[in-house]
Amino acid sequence: MTRSYTFPTPCDFHVHLREGNMLDLVAPMTAREFGRALIMPNTAKPILTGLDATRYRAEILDVVEEADIHDFDPLMTIKLTKETTPDTILGAGEFVIAAKLYPEGVTTNSDDGVKSVRDLYPVFEEMQRQDMVLCIHGEEPGVFVMDREEAFLNRLGMIATSFPKLRIVLEHVTTAAGVQKVHDLGDNVVATITAHHLFLTLDDVLGSRLHPHHFCMPVAKRPHDRAALLGVALAGDRQFFLGTDSAPHTKDAKQCADGCAGVFTAPVAMPLLLDLFDSQNRLAELSAFTSSNGNRFYGGRPMRKLATYRQEAWKVPSEYPLDGSPMNYPACLVPFRAGATLAWKRKE
Amino acid sequence: MTRSYTFPTPCDFHVHLREGNMLDLVAPMTAREFGRALIMPNTAKPILTGLDATRYRAEILDVVEEADIHDFDPLMTIKLTKETTPDTILGAGEFVIAAKLYPEGVTTNSDDGVKSVRDLYPVFEEMQRQDMVLCIHGEEPGVFVMDREEAFLNRLGMIATSFPKLRIVLEHVTTAAGVQKVHDLGDNVVATITAHHLFLTLDDVLGSRLHPHHFCMPVAKRPHDRAALLGVALAGDRQFFLGTDSAPHTKDAKQCADGCAGVFTAPVAMPLLLDLFDSQNRLAELSAFTSSNGNRFYGGRPMRKLATYRQEAWKVPSEYPLDGSPMNYPACLVPFRAGATLAWKRKE
């Protein structure tokens, strides 16, 4: 008998959908697995205003509807830069529910990130007033890579203390220290956890061979850090929920002398999580991690529609070709767990 | 006026020359920069006996002489495996001056490495009797990648204490803890330091982008670890000397989904070291690091021939083509600092 599991349609509270032919390829993948997703604003031409976000949202919905998916709910964000003002927040409009802070230079397309976080305090003030969520890539620039997240936690604490009603997300938490800090700061501070950080440590990136498709920012940390992430995710801890940070880059941009950071998990994150929660006898906590905790925090409607995953072996493609790339030099995306056989699959 | 610096011809006390067309390409590069080199035995078909080493030495000399270099002195090693016996050591012959221990599975071609180091104690006993040097890849298998070297140091201490007259090299030391342990263990224990570990930390491997040509085992560690290596190298500390661990792999084997560990430094190590020691006003200590410390430890003749390097800008090739690879899919090697302009060059 095939086992199956039905639960509220999962949501991804941190995803990169990109633009152009990349958007065409990856947006339907996300929309097939997730009923709702928080769309990151660090596109090549960044999403800086409510108008940008409204246009980008329409573009995403066009692509998804073209793929015959009609119930996807993209939640929009804008990127904070040194040009952002309280008026940007006031005029952000109905679709923008969060603004994203990238400390300068720590991740993809963050060269226009923010150097002095304090300069943004008037913006945070307005966000607190408007009840807009602050999403933070929590790594301190200039610090040794393994210490960058922990070094940022004091700054996180200062922001949370200065704006006690501002809702804050420490995105893609990777350390035990980060988990502890979120607990310490209380209910207005939460963290997303990616799927891949539940499976990887630095050993899987460069412990014997080099695995570019396991390389992302923040980098996977130590075994005890991974254990801390698993602890709160599998417990359904209400301060933690899924944000895959699925971050597609072409194979050539990953497997080269100067490779991009990012793990592309959109098509595999949920099957992997089903397997993980099932193997730990925690399927009952899955929907807390993949929908209710995030929706409660963001104030979204609970997911009424259900999703069913079945235990059915399938092989992850070794790559996904990108339309519109040159015939003689086709570009493609390599997903996390390329070529592996996964145990769970969403029922159409 | 062009500055130049003349000093005893440098030696490389840890280098991988490989076999076949790779050997043809890299052996002359090493022989042009180094008058003497300790040749690692972990070829695809490993060097396990004196006979293997004698044959491999002849092959190396053939290649080097073919390149019109007639004064290269390859020092040979054998690889310790679970099949190695005291008789292997007794019969190793005149060219083998060291035997190399690879704890299982931690580096390239070490799958036949040694699981229980204690099983080799009779072999170490014979090595001590014959005054053969023990070279160790000092990483403890199964430990988190950043902790592997430090976790091995107790074992190093046990070997050194059990065989007080055995001369031991902790190869390619990468940590401050390793440097300290070598100091603590006294004159019969030394360490080699690579050129690249004097320049890199983990930040240069994956601190923002992924740099496969900076990836090696042991991986580059923290800033304070690099500082400890620089401290002893620039001081000419007699327990430390150059072993480049130049480890060529084809570009395809490096820039792929499952990349090989190893940094190919043969053509650039000495120019980089000239620049480093010069910039720190330590040129006077260079020959301690690059020849006298190693020769004193190994009991080799001092280098009588001199080498001159001139301050002359040159651009490191982006790659070196390998002869004999398919015309439509040429293989090549990417050197450390590919495409960079270096300040020093050896005078022909």
Side-chain angles (χ1 to χ4, degrees):
Chain A
M1 206 191 74
T2 305
R3 290 175 65 213
S4 69
Y5 187 67
T6 299
F7 61 116
T9 302
C11 305
D12 181 354
F13 284 99
H14 184 132
V15 68
H16 300 270
L17 296 186
R18 313 296 192 204
E19 299 151 283
N21 62 346
M22 192 86 93
L23 174 69
D24 293 343
L25 180 61
V26 305
M29 290 183 186
T30 286
R32 268 182 212 112
E33 299 282 331
F34 300 99
R36 184 175 288 164
L38 187 75
I39 316 299
M40 289 297 114
N42 63 335
T43 38
K45 185 177 180 315
I47 307 303
L48 302 175
T49 65
L51 185 60
D52 292 343
T54 302
R55 285 181 181 146
Y56 188 34
R57 180 174 180 275
E59 208 180 335
I60 292 164
L61 285 174
D62 279 353
V63 169
V64 166
E65 280 163 17
E66 184 76 22
D68 213 26
I69 303 164
H70 303 281
D71 52 1
F72 181 61
D73 182 16
L75 308 176
M76 305 310 291
T77 62
I78 57 172
K79 180 173 175 172
L80 298 176
T81 72
K82 52 187 183 297
E83 316 296 334
T84 311
T85 66
D87 280 347
T88 318
I89 304 304
L90 262 174
E94 61 179 321
F95 297 126
V96 175
I97 68 162
K100 176 84 184 273
L101 176 66
Y102 294 92
E104 190 156 89
V106 293
T107 190
T108 301
N109 295 341
S110 64
D111 290 347
D112 56 354
V114 176
K115 262 211 179 101
S116 172
V117 172
R118 281 207 167 267
D119 293 347
L120 282 173
Y121 272 28
V123 172
F124 295 166
E125 187 72 47
E126 189 59 41
M127 288 174 67
Q128 182 173 253
R129 201 171 293 130
Q130 303 296 326
D131 209 17
M132 186 186 286
V133 169
L134 174 64
C135 300
I136 305 182
H137 182 121
E139 290 194 292
E140 190 69 21
V143 170
F144 181 66
V145 62
M146 295 295 282
D147 303 334
R148 247 173 240 168
E149 180 171 294
E150 192 161 352
F152 187 84
L153 298 176
N154 268 341
R155 193 188 292 275
L156 175 69
M158 281 165 55
I159 299 172
T161 310
S162 304
F163 302 94
K165 291 184 178 168
L166 181 63
R167 288 175 296 145
I168 302 174
V169 185
L170 175 62
E171 298 290 342
H172 41 56
V173 65
T174 59
T175 60
V179 167
Q180 183 60 51
K181 188 74 175 183
V182 168
H183 277 151
D184 292 348
L185 289 173
D187 280 350
N188 276 348
V189 179
V190 298
T192 53
I193 300 177
T194 74
H196 54 279
H197 285 121
L198 293 174
F199 292 94
L200 304 177
T201 70
L202 189 69
D203 277 341
D204 301 294
V205 186
L206 48 54
S208 55
R209 311 271 296 183
L210 191 69
H211 294 137
H213 302 294
H214 295 171
F215 166 61
C216 60
M217 284 292 150
V219 296
K221 301 295 190 308
R222 291 174 166 271
H224 87 273
D225 294 308
R226 178 181 165 233
L229 305 183
L230 283 169
V232 290
L234 291 167
D237 186 313
R238 51 190 287 139
Q239 282 182 279
F240 298 86
F241 49 84
L242 177 65
T244 65
D245 194 14
S246 178
H249 294 281
T250 64
K251 181 178 172 180
D252 286 342
K254 293 288 293 174
Q255 300 179 197
C256 62
D258 182 45
C260 290
V263 179
F264 174 49
T265 54
V268 298
M270 284 311 305
L272 287 168
L273 290 175
L274 264 291
D275 195 46
L276 173 65
F277 279 69
D278 182 42
S279 70
Q280 304 296 312
N281 289 315
R282 295 292 182 100
L283 276 180
E285 317 300 334
L286 181 61
S287 71
F289 184 62
T290 59
S291 71
S292 58
N293 289 349
N295 282 315
R296 187 190 317 108
F297 178 80
Y298 273 103
R301 306 176 304 283
M303 299 307 284
R304 268 171 307 183
K305 232 182 135 180
L306 300 177
T308 298
Y309 281 75
R310 300 201 308 177
Q311 235 177 5
E312 177 189 335
W314 64 286
K315 199 175 165 191
V316 181
S318 59
E319 49 192 51
Y320 293 96
L322 267 167
D323 276 353
S325 55
M327 290 287 279
N328 60 344
Y329 200 68
C332 64
L333 302 182
V334 177
F336 187 55
R337 299 298 192 229
T341 298
L342 303 192
W344 291 82
K345 190 173 187 178
R346 179 142 180 193
K347 200 175 153 186
E348 303 293 331
Chain B
M1 205 191 74
T2 306
R3 290 175 65 213
S4 69
Y5 186 67
T6 299
F7 62 116
T9 302
C11 305
D12 180 355
F13 284 98
H14 185 133
V15 68
H16 300 270
L17 296 185
R18 313 297 192 203
E19 298 150 284
N21 62 347
M22 192 86 94
L23 174 69
D24 294 343
L25 179 61
V26 305
M29 290 183 184
T30 286
R32 267 182 212 112
E33 298 281 331
F34 300 99
R36 185 176 287 163
L38 188 75
I39 315 299
M40 290 297 114
N42 64 334
T43 38
K45 185 178 178 317
I47 307 303
L48 301 175
T49 66
L51 185 60
D52 292 343
T54 302
R55 285 181 181 145
Y56 189 33
R57 180 174 180 275
E59 208 179 335
I60 292 164
L61 285 174
D62 279 353
V63 169
V64 166
E65 280 163 17
E66 184 76 24
D68 212 26
I69 303 163
H70 302 282
D71 53 0
F72 181 61
D73 182 16
L75 308 175
M76 305 309 292
T77 62
I78 57 172
K79 179 174 177 173
L80 298 176
T81 72
K82 54 186 182 296
E83 316 297 335
T84 311
T85 66
D87 281 347
T88 318
I89 305 304
L90 262 174
E94 60 178 323
F95 298 126
V96 175
I97 70 162
K100 176 85 184 272
L101 176 65
Y102 294 92
E104 191 155 89
V106 292
T107 190
T108 302
N109 296 340
S110 65
D111 290 347
D112 55 353
V114 176
K115 262 209 179 105
S116 171
V117 172
R118 282 207 165 267
D119 293 347
L120 282 173
Y121 272 28
V123 171
F124 296 166
E125 188 72 47
E126 190 59 40
M127 289 174 66
Q128 181 171 253
R129 201 171 292 130
Q130 303 297 326
D131 208 17
M132 186 188 285
V133 169
L134 174 63
C135 300
I136 305 181
H137 182 121
E139 291 194 291
E140 190 70 20
V143 170
F144 180 66
V145 62
M146 295 295 281
D147 303 334
R148 248 173 238 167
E149 181 172 292
E150 192 160 352
F152 187 83
L153 298 176
N154 268 341
R155 194 188 291 276
L156 175 68
M158 282 165 54
I159 300 172
T161 309
S162 303
F163 302 95
K165 292 184 176 167
L166 182 62
R167 288 175 295 146
I168 302 173
V169 185
L170 175 61
E171 297 291 342
H172 40 56
V173 65
T174 59
T175 59
V179 167
Q180 183 61 51
K181 189 73 175 184
V182 167
H183 277 150
D184 292 349
L185 289 173
D187 280 350
N188 276 347
V189 178
V190 299
T192 53
I193 299 177
T194 74
H196 54 280
H197 285 120
L198 293 174
F199 293 93
L200 304 177
T201 69
L202 189 69
D203 278 340
D204 301 293
V205 186
L206 48 53
S208 55
R209 310 272 295 183
L210 191 68
H211 293 137
H213 302 295
H214 294 173
F215 166 60
C216 61
M217 284 291 150
V219 297
K221 301 296 191 307
R222 291 174 166 270
H224 88 273
D225 293 309
R226 179 181 164 234
L229 304 184
L230 282 169
V232 290
L234 291 167
D237 186 313
R238 52 190 287 138
Q239 283 182 279
F240 298 86
F241 49 85
L242 177 64
T244 64
D245 195 14
S246 178
H249 293 281
T250 64
K251 180 178 172 181
D252 286 342
K254 293 289 292 174
Q255 300 179 199
C256 62
D258 182 44
C260 290
V263 180
F264 173 48
T265 54
V268 298
M270 283 310 306
L272 287 168
L273 291 175
L274 263 292
D275 195 45
L276 173 65
F277 279 69
D278 182 41
S279 69
Q280 304 296 311
N281 290 315
R282 295 292 182 100
L283 276 180
E285 317 300 334
L286 180 60
S287 70
F289 184 61
T290 60
S291 70
S292 59
N293 290 349
N295 282 315
R296 186 190 316 107
F297 178 79
Y298 272 103
R301 306 176 303 283
M303 300 306 284
R304 269 171 305 184
K305 232 182 135 180
L306 300 177
T308 297
Y309 281 75
R310 300 201 308 177
Q311 236 177 4
E312 177 189 333
W314 65 286
K315 197 174 167 194
V316 181
S318 59
E319 49 192 51
Y320 293 96
L322 267 167
D323 277 353
S325 55
M327 291 287 280
N328 60 346
Y329 200 68
C332 65
L333 302 182
V334 177
F336 187 55
R337 298 299 192 229
T341 298
L342 303 192
W344 291 82
K345 191 173 187 179
R346 179 140 180 194
K347 200 174 151 187
E348 301 294 330

